[in-house]
């Protein structure tokens, strides 16, 4: 009986650590992607400023296209 308990504890702890690491990674990535989707690293105002620095006046379609490409790339 003591040997079975020792083996179960010996396998249970590393197994719990591995499962915990996998679950932690999954939920951390899910949370990180949600944060990127809700708070993009670049805003429409910043895109407008970049175009102005290049001496161009961006259209709303160009700004939306750039924002959509950022969103598509951040979800991968």
């Amino acid at each position: 009986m003591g040997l079975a308990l020792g083996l179960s504890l010996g396998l249970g702890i590393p197994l719990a650590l591995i499962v915990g690491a996998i679950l932690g990674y999954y939920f951390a990535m899910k949370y990180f992607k949600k944060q990127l989707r809700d708070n993009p690293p670049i805003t429409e105002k910043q895109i407008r400023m970049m175009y102005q620095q290049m001496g161009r006046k961006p259209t709303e379609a160009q700004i939306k296209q750039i924002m959509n490409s950022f969103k598509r790339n951040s979800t991968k």
Side-chain angles (χ1 to χ4, degrees), residues 42-56:
I42 190 166
T43 63
E44 291 180 8
K45 184 178 177 183
Q46 291 171 325
I47 294 170
R48 284 189 183 91
M49 293 300 286
M50 286 188 330
Y51 269 95
Q52 286 176 356
Q53 288 175 353
M54 292 186 295
R56 296 180 57 195

Side-chain angles (χ1 to χ4, degrees), residues 10-67:
L11 294 176
I13 293 172
L15 186 63
L17 289 173
I18 291 169
V19 170
I22 291 170
L23 287 175
Y25 176 78
Y26 173 76
F27 286 113
M29 288 304 294
K30 191 171 181 123
Y31 177 75
F32 182 72
K33 287 181 181 181
K34 180 185 179 300
Q35 287 296 328
L36 274 179
R37 190 174 49 250
D38 295 344
N39 306 310
I42 190 166
T43 63
E44 291 180 8
K45 184 178 177 183
Q46 291 171 325
I47 294 170
R48 284 189 183 91
M49 293 300 286
M50 286 188 330
Y51 269 95
Q52 286 176 356
Q53 288 175 353
M54 292 186 295
R56 296 180 57 195
K57 175 104 172 93
T59 63
E60 199 61 32
Q62 288 173 327
I63 294 172
K64 294 294 180 192
Q65 181 183 14
I66 293 171
M67 288 302 291

